[in-house]
Amino acid sequence: FRRFLKTDKVNIWKCVEGEHEIAIIPFEGSDGEMDYKRTVFVHYNIGENDDSFVCLSRTFQKPCPICQDIKEMEMRKDADKDVLSGLYPIKRVIYNVWVLDNEKEKEKGVQIWIAPHKHIEDTLVGRARNKRTGELIIMGDPTVDGKDIGFERVGSDRETSYENLQFLDRTEPIPDEILEQAVNLDEVIIVPTYEEVKNSVKSL
C-alpha cells in the first residue's frame, strides 16, 4: 500500500503503549525558516490497496478527488455513514523527535513521529504558557532552557489516549550530532497529483 511519507528516507517512530519521554528537534524548512512541526490532513485506507494520501484540499488548498467524492456521497439520501466516516481526512502533526525512553532508543537518533494533532499538538500548545508568569515555552527549543516532553500512551487504535502529557525540565542542551540529523519535513511529505489520488479511489 502507498504511504504519505517517503519512509525510505526516514526512520518512523512507533509510539507503543507505555510511558515515553521525547525531545522535539527543530528543522530548517524549505522556506529557510526554522520550525518544529508540519501539520497535514490524511485520507487513510483508500482504494483496493488501502493507500494513504495527504488531502490535497485541506493541506494544500488544491482540488482533492476524495473530498469531491465525499461531497457527492453526502448529497445521497442512501449514503453509508460508515463509509463516509472512513473517508474524511484526519489531522496529523509530524515531528522530528529524539526518543529518550532508554539507551537503545536514544542510539537510534532522530526519528519521525506522526502524531494525533488533537491529543498532542493542541494539548502542548495549550500548556505552553505559564499561567502565573505568562512565560511561553518555545516548542522545539534545543537549549537547556527548552523542555522535553513526557506522556503515557494507553490503549490502541480508536481506544488510544495520551495521558499525563507534560513538559519536563532539561539538564543539558540537545547534542549537535542529534540536531544535525533533523530532516526537512517538507521534503518527506509525498504530494500526490490529482490523477494519482483519483486512480486509487474505489468506486463509491
Side-chain angles (χ1 to χ4, degrees), residues 94-172:
I94 308 172
Y95 304 108
N96 285 283
V97 297
W98 188 28
V99 182
L100 308 173
D101 293 350
N102 51 56
E103 287 303 317
K104 182 178 180 180
E105 285 292 338
K106 290 175 69 174
E107 289 174 0
K108 293 179 182 179
V110 172
Q111 303 181 69
I112 300 300
W113 185 25
I114 306 166
H117 200 284
K118 178 179 179 181
H119 296 294
I120 302 299
E121 177 66 11
D122 287 351
T123 302
L124 288 176
V125 171
R127 298 178 181 176
R129 185 179 297 278
N130 188 307
K131 293 182 179 179
R132 291 184 176 179
T133 66
E135 181 180 1
L136 183 66
I137 295 173
I138 305 300
M139 304 285 282
D141 180 355
T143 71
V144 71
D145 294 325
K147 301 288 185 180
D148 296 328
I149 297 165
F151 65 92
E152 180 180 4
R153 173 171 175 161
V154 179
S156 59
D157 299 326
R158 293 186 177 181
E159 303 301 321
T160 300
S161 64
Y162 296 84
E163 302 179 1
N164 303 317
L165 196 67
Q166 57 187 306
F167 290 106
L168 305 173
D169 290 337
R170 184 178 291 157
T171 57
E172 57 186 18

Side-chain angles (χ1 to χ4, degrees), residues 2 5-7 44 50 61 72 76 86 88 95 121 123 125 128 142 155 170 178 182 184 187 193:
R2 175 172 175 146
L5 290 185
K6 300 175 183 177
T7 53
Y44 289 100
D50 289 334
Q61 293 74 54
E72 290 181 5
R76 302 176 190 170
Y88 290 122
Y95 304 108
E121 177 66 11
T123 302
V125 171
R170 184 178 291 157
I178 295 298
N184 179 355
E187 296 180 350
T193 65

Side-chain angles (χ1 to χ4, degrees), residues 5-13 23-38 94-98 108-114 176-189:
L5 290 185
K6 300 175 183 177
T7 53
D8 59 323
K9 304 289 185 181
V10 294
N11 184 18
I12 303 294
W13 179 47
I24 295 178
I25 308 301
F27 69 97
E28 183 177 345
S30 297
D31 58 2
E33 299 292 330
M34 297 301 297
D35 209 336
Y36 72 94
K37 54 92 176 178
R38 281 292 179 266
I94 308 172
Y95 304 108
N96 285 283
V97 297
W98 188 28
K108 293 179 182 179
V110 172
Q111 303 181 69
I112 300 300
W113 185 25
I114 306 166
D176 288 342
E177 58 266 29
I178 295 298
L179 295 176
E180 292 169 358
Q181 294 175 25
V183 301
N184 179 355
L185 296 178
D186 297 324
E187 296 180 350
V188 299
I189 297 171

